Amino acid sequence: MSLDDDSSGGYAETGQTRTRLPEGDPYGGARRGARSSSRSLVTVVGVVVLLIAAIAFANRGGDDTKSPSDTNQDKPATSPTAATGEKPVESKAGGIPSGFAHSEQGAQSAAANYAVALGSADMFSKSRRDAILQTVITPSRVSGFEASLDQAYTPAFNKSVGLNEDGSTPKGYTFVSRTSPIGTKSTESSSDTATVEVWCSGLLGLAGQNSTNPVTNSWFTITMKLEWTAGGWKIITHSQKEGPAPVPGDDKASSADEMSKAVEEYGGFTYAR
């Protein structure tokens, strides 16, 4: 996915919008152009290296002010874009939600939560990355994923996103890598396998004064093929493509301090279909 979303001015009656920056360029006038080739490296090996958290909660439906005697027929119909389905799971394995239902909806919930894990900042640490892969990848494919990602998360790649060569964050900065699922869709489903697409928004970059890699936003769709094994959904294959991306809004970009504070104060969610 491309990070080339340079700001452009808005023009009256053209339907165009613009991204508003704070006084002066964000993070000391840094540009983002050099990162697209690095992002492609991770895309080639089929793993997301992107970012934050939006929401796909279960639909509770109905008007809470109605009496217990009201029937489902009295409740308003769910809109096509509303979150629907089962409630989120409560258990976790290695910090990642687990215990998803052995159903099509369960596979979608698993895929959404796995997208968040694979797009997190933990992927830049070898030990934490391997722990994530052990949790979300089907056992027969773990070693292959580990080998591919070890070749992708090189010292050169870490430097390209603003980190130190060992994947640690430079002193005085906050590294941001979050993925936010917007919605899910099953394209194939059987009793023990499922192919799920997860539409996501992501954040990636280094928040801090004079950062040359300021935090940027992107949109992408992840496709996962999963299988039911050992009592849970696990990933067999994983790929991603750009978009769908909305027209940028007229939002003022936050300062480095505001972005760092937001990342430290706002936690993520457990996603469910």
Side-chain angles (χ1 to χ4, degrees):
M1 45 232 63
S2 172
L3 296 178
D4 300 327
D5 56 346
D6 290 340
S7 303
S8 59
Y11 300 92
E13 300 180 1
T14 64
Q16 296 182 0
T17 59
R18 67 186 184 279
T19 300
R20 296 174 55 206
L21 304 178
E23 231 175 88
D25 287 347
Y27 308 0
R31 290 286 193 183
R32 296 171 286 133
R35 285 193 293 156
S36 60
S37 60
S38 301
R39 180 73 58 80
S40 298
L41 178 61
V42 181
T43 303
V44 168
V45 298
V47 169
V48 181
V49 188
L50 298 171
L51 354 153
I52 189 178
I55 195 166
F57 282 130
N59 178 44
R60 297 178 186 272
D63 185 348
D64 291 339
T65 62
K66 292 187 177 183
S67 67
S69 62
D70 289 332
T71 64
N72 287 335
Q73 283 92 350
D74 295 327
K75 296 179 181 179
T78 302
S79 67
T81 56
T84 58
E86 301 168 358
K87 294 182 179 180
V89 296
E90 297 181 355
S91 58
K92 289 189 175 183
I96 302 171
S98 64
F100 300 104
H102 189 183
S103 64
E104 182 178 335
Q105 287 191 11
Q108 291 185 50
S109 296
N113 284 279
Y114 295 168
V116 173
L118 291 171
S120 69
D122 285 343
M123 292 293 287
F124 290 81
S125 163
K126 166 65 176 173
S127 61
R128 294 196 293 271
R129 180 171 69 246
D130 286 350
I132 290 172
L133 296 179
Q134 290 284 343
T135 301
V136 306
I137 305 298
T138 198
S140 62
R141 302 292 181 94
V142 170
S143 60
F145 270 81
E146 288 180 349
S148 295
L149 291 181
D150 286 346
Q151 294 177 26
Y153 287 88
T154 62
F157 176 72
N158 290 336
K159 288 186 66 176
S160 74
V161 297
L163 299 174
N164 296 321
E165 290 189 354
D166 62 358
S168 60
T169 303
K171 186 177 180 180
Y173 292 90
T174 299
F175 181 60
V176 184
S177 182
R178 289 195 183 185
T179 293
S180 175
I182 305 300
T184 60
K185 177 180 72 173
S186 291
T187 56
E188 293 182 18
S189 181
S190 67
S191 60
D192 291 325
T193 62
T195 300
V196 180
E197 294 183 0
V198 187
W199 180 31
C200 303
S201 176
L203 300 178
L204 179 67
L206 203 63
Q209 295 299 327
N210 301 318
S211 170
T212 58
N213 295 275
V215 179
T216 56
N217 173 254
S218 62
W219 293 83
F220 49 96
T221 299
I222 303 165
T223 300
M224 298 182 195
K225 184 172 183 179
L226 304 102
E227 68 175 2
W228 183 264
T229 180
W233 291 107
K234 304 291 182 180
I235 298 171
I236 303 174
T237 62
H238 177 293
S239 62
Q240 76 178 63
K241 62 183 180 181
E242 296 182 1
V247 176
D250 191 16
D251 299 314
K252 179 180 178 181
S254 297
S255 67
D257 288 341
E258 289 174 321
M259 185 61 67
S260 297
K261 186 177 181 181
V263 172
E264 292 168 358
E265 293 182 349
Y266 290 90
F269 296 96
T270 296
Y271 296 82
R273 181 64 174 136

